[in-house]
Amino acid sequence: MAEAPGSDYEAGQTVATAMGGMGRQFDGSYAEFTCVPANQILPIDSTLDYSVLGALPEMIQTAWGSLHRSLQLEPGHTLLIRGGTTSVGLAAAILAKKYGATVIATTRKPERIQFLKDNAADHVFVDSGSIAEDVRREFPAGVDRVLELVGTTTLLDFLKTLSDHGIVCMTGMVGNEWLLDNFSPMDAIPTSVKLTTYSGG
């Protein structure tokens, strides 16, 4: 921290913040310097390099919040992560695996299968945009939870992968599609399946 007028923080102290309007309500989400309200920072003690430390707060809180607040993940659940090679997908896989879930991840590139398995995935599917049938062949009853990090382009397909009382959480939009055309909830969402979102703002 360079300075913190009007607060209990001291110049040079290591602090962290995530989300909270950066890049929207005020500038600086990816800047070298930014000015944030003192009530949204926390002091931390870390020996990590700043290039690593700077990447962690948003990524980890997004993964953790998606898994525990929105998906209500429990040990023993099967978790399907669409967008498994994203930073949030990798963080979610590791957190879920340590929590006792079976982790299933997707990638569009077959050469990344081993990378995902080396990073907590128990099963990997190559995502062609339509993988519900592939998932159901391996998990006939469906999966318990789906973390959707790519967007709306294949959300309807992923809804079909869920078991009774399963939950899908829309967290990411890296596919750059924000809207569902001609969305019919009664047709798209299977009975007892739940659709939710997570935003760490």
Side-chain angles (χ1 to χ4, degrees):
M1 171 183 309
E3 58 180 316
S7 77
D8 294 331
Y9 298 109
E10 300 176 2
Q13 189 172 3
T14 303
V15 297
T17 186
M19 309 295 281
M22 289 190 296
R24 292 179 177 85
Q25 281 83 26
F26 47 87
D27 293 335
S29 59
Y30 292 99
E32 183 178 358
F33 289 95
T34 188
C35 181
V36 299
N39 66 355
Q40 77 179 55
I41 62 174
L42 294 171
I44 59 171
D45 182 20
S46 176
T47 58
L48 291 173
D49 184 86
Y50 281 117
S51 63
V52 175
L53 186 59
L56 293 179
E58 184 172 346
M59 176 180 57
I60 296 297
Q61 78 81 22
T62 300
W64 183 268
S66 298
L67 295 176
H68 295 286
R69 185 168 183 205
S70 295
L71 287 173
Q72 301 167 18
L73 188 72
E74 296 291 343
H77 276 162
T78 48
L79 170 70
L80 174 58
I81 303 171
R82 179 163 186 258
T85 59
T86 64
S87 63
V88 173
L90 291 167
I94 292 166
L95 291 172
K97 182 75 171 183
K98 287 185 174 291
Y99 193 60
T102 297
V103 176
I104 308 153
T106 70
T107 178
R108 291 175 296 150
K109 298 179 179 179
E111 62 269 22
R112 292 186 175 171
I113 291 173
Q114 191 58 51
F115 171 74
L116 287 170
K117 289 185 175 182
D118 291 342
N119 287 278
D122 298 296
H123 305 270
V124 178
F125 289 96
V126 177
D127 188 354
S128 63
S130 177
I131 67 165
E133 289 184 13
D134 295 337
V135 172
R136 285 289 183 162
R137 269 194 294 275
E138 195 157 339
F139 300 91
V143 298
D144 300 306
R145 303 290 186 263
V146 171
L147 176 57
E148 172 59 73
L149 298 170
V150 175
T152 60
T153 52
T154 61
L155 174 63
L156 301 183
D157 183 61
F158 275 73
L159 282 164
K160 297 174 188 173
T161 67
L162 285 158
S163 62
D164 286 346
H165 308 292
I167 304 173
V168 61
C169 176
M170 290 284 303
T171 295
M173 295 287 188
V174 297
N176 208 27
E177 291 288 336
W178 294 80
L179 302 174
L180 281 170
D181 294 328
N182 303 313
F183 178 56
S184 171
M186 293 295 287
D187 294 326
I189 304 174
T191 297
S192 84
V193 164
K194 299 165 186 68
L195 172 61
T196 188
T197 63
Y198 179 76
S199 173

